[in-house]
Amino acid sequence: MRAGRLAATLAPGLAVLSAGCDGVQSALSAYGQESAHAATLFWIMLLGGSGIVVFVTAATCLAIFGNSAMKRLVSRERSVVAAGIALPVAVLSALLVYGFWMLDLDPPPDGFEPIRISVVGEQWWWRVIYRADDGSTIETANELRVPLGRPVELELTTADVIHSFWVPPLAGKVDMIPGQANTLRFTATSARIVRGQCAEYCGGAHALMGFYVVVESPASFLSWLAGQRADAQSTDAAGAELFLAAGCGGCHRIRGTGAAGTIGPDLTHVGSRLSIGAGVLRTGPDAFARWIASHAVLKPGNRMPPFGVLSDAETDGLAAYLATLQ
Ligand SMILES: [Cu+2]
């Protein structure tokens, strides 16, 4: 009866807690081999730690409130040595060995070449470069697509300050450090969209430096990649001209057009990405117009200059053009 009441009391709380763990950006979601290891490690450490807390609290209660026989029991030298030295040494050593064993992650399966992607942290967005075996590259930004069940190898670097690349549902966090290339390997185990976030304070707009990772079947990944390799497909010639006339091409590349800038995100297929501004807005014509007109408000401090000189018609024209860049 009392156990039933306890369960009834705890159930809503536990439901709320576990709902919070089901998020697109939760380390406990475990939608990748590596994050599954991390989640298991978390639960084992939590259980082990809780057990120790319960044990220590019980011993303390006995020492304070117990009768004289119990007090004598806990204050015996043998009890102190056993519970105060032997037990912690055994438990902590076991957890340490287990933690090291866990760190030794599964090697990629033989004969399975990883998908190689370079991700460069920039204040405050992500440059993403797919590297094919023949040395050719395809650049995009603020979104990763990876095939389900295939090992992925990320080369993580930075163009400016320290950033930290973290997609909690897929893998652990790895810093992007000036002058150094770090490697992160993971294999996604569930086809879905998850979210990542810069996890190291990198200046003003750090909190607005997110991105999405789309995990999809190997077949749709390959057709997406082929689409990305192609030049821009827009037939909106007036929009393309306006883009150059407004000076956008000085910072943004749109392959197949005269826009060849590399300071900002590559926009060749920006209309097909889930978000713009590194996770700030969901993509769509409205979003492009809002970004051009008020990005300094939507993402304060970002490195794109304000374009107050553009008329509403020009802004809408540019937005419509960007939306055609599928
Ligand atoms: Cu950051």
PDB file of all heavy atoms in Angstrom, residues 163 198 200-202 206 209, ligand 1:
ATOM      1  N   HIS A 163      35.686  27.158 -30.286  1.00  0.00           N
ATOM      2  CA  HIS A 163      34.281  26.757 -30.260  1.00  0.00           C
ATOM      3  C   HIS A 163      34.248  25.309 -29.775  1.00  0.00           C
ATOM      4  O   HIS A 163      35.284  24.660 -29.660  1.00  0.00           O
ATOM      5  CB  HIS A 163      33.661  26.820 -31.655  1.00  0.00           C
ATOM      6  CG  HIS A 163      33.719  28.175 -32.303  1.00  0.00           C
ATOM      7  ND1 HIS A 163      32.780  29.146 -32.079  1.00  0.00           N
ATOM      8  CD2 HIS A 163      34.610  28.721 -33.163  1.00  0.00           C
ATOM      9  CE1 HIS A 163      33.086  30.228 -32.784  1.00  0.00           C
ATOM     10  NE2 HIS A 163      34.203  29.996 -33.442  1.00  0.00           N
ATOM     11  N   CYS A 198      26.916  25.113 -30.299  1.00  0.00           N
ATOM     12  CA  CYS A 198      28.273  25.419 -29.845  1.00  0.00           C
ATOM     13  C   CYS A 198      28.254  25.378 -28.327  1.00  0.00           C
ATOM     14  O   CYS A 198      27.376  25.955 -27.691  1.00  0.00           O
ATOM     15  CB  CYS A 198      28.717  26.795 -30.327  1.00  0.00           C
ATOM     16  SG  CYS A 198      30.371  27.227 -29.724  1.00  0.00           S
ATOM     17  N   GLU A 200      30.966  26.098 -26.231  1.00  0.00           N
ATOM     18  CA  GLU A 200      32.063  26.810 -25.562  1.00  0.00           C
ATOM     19  C   GLU A 200      31.862  28.277 -25.865  1.00  0.00           C
ATOM     20  O   GLU A 200      31.797  28.656 -27.040  1.00  0.00           O
ATOM     21  CB  GLU A 200      33.397  26.313 -26.125  1.00  0.00           C
ATOM     22  CG  GLU A 200      34.616  27.002 -25.566  1.00  0.00           C
ATOM     23  CD  GLU A 200      35.040  26.430 -24.215  1.00  0.00           C
ATOM     24  OE1 GLU A 200      35.032  25.189 -24.088  1.00  0.00           O
ATOM     25  OE2 GLU A 200      35.354  27.210 -23.314  1.00  0.00           O
ATOM     26  N   TYR A 201      31.763  29.107 -24.838  1.00  0.00           N
ATOM     27  CA  TYR A 201      31.482  30.522 -25.069  1.00  0.00           C
ATOM     28  C   TYR A 201      32.499  31.112 -26.042  1.00  0.00           C
ATOM     29  O   TYR A 201      33.697  31.038 -25.810  1.00  0.00           O
ATOM     30  CB  TYR A 201      31.482  31.305 -23.755  1.00  0.00           C
ATOM     31  CG  TYR A 201      31.168  32.757 -23.995  1.00  0.00           C
ATOM     32  CD1 TYR A 201      29.889  33.152 -24.354  1.00  0.00           C
ATOM     33  CD2 TYR A 201      32.167  33.729 -23.917  1.00  0.00           C
ATOM     34  CE1 TYR A 201      29.602  34.478 -24.619  1.00  0.00           C
ATOM     35  CE2 TYR A 201      31.887  35.061 -24.177  1.00  0.00           C
ATOM     36  CZ  TYR A 201      30.600  35.420 -24.528  1.00  0.00           C
ATOM     37  OH  TYR A 201      30.310  36.730 -24.802  1.00  0.00           O
ATOM     38  N   CYS A 202      32.008  31.695 -27.148  1.00  0.00           N
ATOM     39  CA  CYS A 202      32.901  32.137 -28.212  1.00  0.00           C
ATOM     40  C   CYS A 202      32.601  33.587 -28.597  1.00  0.00           C
ATOM     41  O   CYS A 202      32.904  34.020 -29.701  1.00  0.00           O
ATOM     42  CB  CYS A 202      32.749  31.213 -29.421  1.00  0.00           C
ATOM     43  SG  CYS A 202      31.058  31.066 -30.012  1.00  0.00           S
ATOM     44  N   HIS A 206      27.191  33.611 -29.231  1.00  0.00           N
ATOM     45  CA  HIS A 206      27.473  32.187 -28.972  1.00  0.00           C
ATOM     46  C   HIS A 206      26.206  31.355 -28.755  1.00  0.00           C
ATOM     47  O   HIS A 206      26.063  30.263 -29.301  1.00  0.00           O
ATOM     48  CB  HIS A 206      28.397  32.069 -27.757  1.00  0.00           C
ATOM     49  CG  HIS A 206      28.327  30.756 -27.063  1.00  0.00           C
ATOM     50  ND1 HIS A 206      28.837  29.599 -27.608  1.00  0.00           N
ATOM     51  CD2 HIS A 206      27.770  30.396 -25.885  1.00  0.00           C
ATOM     52  CE1 HIS A 206      28.612  28.590 -26.793  1.00  0.00           C
ATOM     53  NE2 HIS A 206      27.966  29.046 -25.738  1.00  0.00           N
ATOM     54  N   MET A 209      24.367  29.948 -31.859  1.00  0.00           N
ATOM     55  CA  MET A 209      25.216  29.212 -32.799  1.00  0.00           C
ATOM     56  C   MET A 209      24.835  27.736 -32.738  1.00  0.00           C
ATOM     57  O   MET A 209      25.531  26.923 -32.147  1.00  0.00           O
ATOM     58  CB  MET A 209      26.697  29.439 -32.440  1.00  0.00           C
ATOM     59  CG  MET A 209      27.663  28.851 -33.440  1.00  0.00           C
ATOM     60  SD  MET A 209      29.350  29.371 -33.068  1.00  0.00           S
ATOM     61  CE  MET A 209      30.261  28.222 -34.104  1.00  0.00           C
TER      62      MET A 209
HETATM   63 CU    CU B   1      30.248  29.273 -29.039  1.00  0.00          CU
END
